[in-house]
Amino acid sequence: MLSQNRKAEILQIAQSEGTIRVEELARRFGVAEQTIRRDLAQLSDAGRLERVHGGAVLSSGLGNLDYVQRRNRNTDGKTQIGRECARHIPNGSSIFINIGTTTEAVAREMLTHTDLLVVTNSLNTANILAANPNIEIVVAGGTLRRTDGGLLGNLTTQVVDLFKFDHAIISCAAIDADCDLLDFDFQEVHATKSIIRQSKSTFVVADSSKILRSAPGRIGNLGDVDALFTDAPLPVDMKHKAAALDTSVIISGS
């Protein structure tokens, strides 16, 4: 396969799967790992990919991917994360679930739970959970973000501050090498900070495409939450930092 064709296909794989790994790409294309590393370096230099430990992810730039792109990335990994996180939510709990395609995956796995109170600022999540009559749903009002059905603004945080939650299930756009939780929308950053503050325990759900990425808004640090649910082992340095912060890292399917 010509180098340009291979790189175009690598970009297509990154768009559909999120994180791409050097070993897997080398096997897929039947070339040496060094050849793949050279391709990834060239795509990174062109601003199309960001290099991460063992592979690459799509370049985040200064803006997030649109909702449809995010929803269609790494669906299997998000389903596994959702299933694992839902297992840690006991019946009879009060929960906040924020905006995100991975938190939506958690909601789908909670359709057999009973006696839950769920507050959410995601219309998509509210619609998913509406299929379960054993869940009381409160939608935190705010300004509608039409791209993904999210509700944000002062009204959202005012509703959050009315509650004390047993658990918060939150997503973010990125987790960088310092274990900081990051996002692109500063209103969402503000809302998520309030959610963490009002919750007895907080679970972050983030698939491997979010690891070692960057975004301009800082929500907090892994040390501010109780557990990270993801679908692949963390890079060694991040794993050690998370352990030092006393944050559980739960790998779905492991």
Side-chain angles (χ1 to χ4, degrees), residues 2-251:
L2 294 174
S3 173
Q4 283 302 113
N5 292 341
R6 188 174 58 246
K7 283 187 283 190
E9 192 165 339
I10 287 171
L11 285 174
Q12 290 178 346
I13 295 168
Q15 288 170 347
S16 64
E17 298 182 10
T19 302
I20 50 178
R21 304 292 178 189
V22 170
E23 277 185 47
E24 295 170 6
L25 291 175
R27 284 197 301 269
R28 182 167 185 157
F29 292 109
V31 298
E33 291 185 11
Q34 185 57 39
T35 300
I36 296 298
R37 291 191 185 94
R38 185 167 58 248
D39 288 343
L40 297 184
Q42 292 170 356
L43 289 167
S44 176
D45 290 343
R48 306 297 299 278
L49 293 176
E50 292 178 13
R51 296 301 303 274
V52 298
H53 178 74
V57 296
L58 282 178
S59 179
S60 58
L62 295 176
N64 204 357
L65 297 172
D66 68 36
Y67 173 75
V68 174
Q69 287 178 304
R70 287 184 283 125
R71 184 189 62 196
N72 292 335
R73 290 178 69 179
N74 194 16
T75 54
D76 289 344
K78 291 174 183 176
T79 297
Q80 292 178 4
I81 292 168
R83 188 173 300 128
E84 187 64 38
C85 183
R87 288 181 55 239
H88 287 73
I89 300 297
N91 293 324
S93 301
S94 59
I95 305 156
F96 195 102
I97 302 178
N98 81 339
I99 307 163
T101 56
T102 312
T103 50
E104 289 172 21
V106 180
R108 291 187 190 95
E109 299 299 325
M110 292 171 57
L111 293 179
T112 58
H113 278 59
T114 60
D115 192 27
L116 294 182
L117 169 65
V118 175
V119 184
T120 183
N121 62 332
S122 165
L123 294 182
N124 295 334
T125 292
N127 285 326
I128 291 167
L129 293 174
N132 184 345
N134 296 307
I135 297 178
E136 182 179 353
I137 302 165
V138 176
V139 177
T143 302
L144 175 65
R145 190 167 67 186
R146 288 180 172 83
T147 54
D148 61 2
L151 296 164
L152 294 165
N154 290 335
L155 184 56
T156 306
T157 54
Q158 287 171 18
V159 173
V160 170
D161 289 342
L162 294 175
F163 290 88
K164 187 70 175 181
F165 305 102
D166 294 319
H167 304 283
I169 302 170
I170 65 169
S171 65
C172 58
I175 305 176
D176 69 10
D178 295 323
C179 294
D180 282 340
L181 310 174
L182 307 169
D183 220 312
F184 292 94
D185 188 316
F186 286 93
Q187 283 191 316
E188 192 164 357
V189 168
H190 185 63
T192 307
K193 284 176 176 285
S194 296
I195 294 162
I196 294 172
R197 185 175 63 247
Q198 297 300 108
S199 301
K200 297 175 186 176
S201 71
T202 301
F203 299 156
V204 176
V205 291
D207 75 358
S208 53
S209 69
K210 308 287 182 67
I211 305 303
L212 293 182
R213 296 197 76 190
S214 182
R218 184 179 184 275
I219 296 165
N221 186 267
L222 278 182
D224 301 322
V225 306
D226 297 273
L228 166 66
F229 292 81
T230 188
D231 61 330
L234 297 181
V236 174
D237 286 350
M238 281 190 74
K239 181 180 178 181
H240 292 328
K241 287 178 181 178
L245 293 168
D246 200 28
T247 300
S248 299
V249 177
I250 299 167
I251 311 299

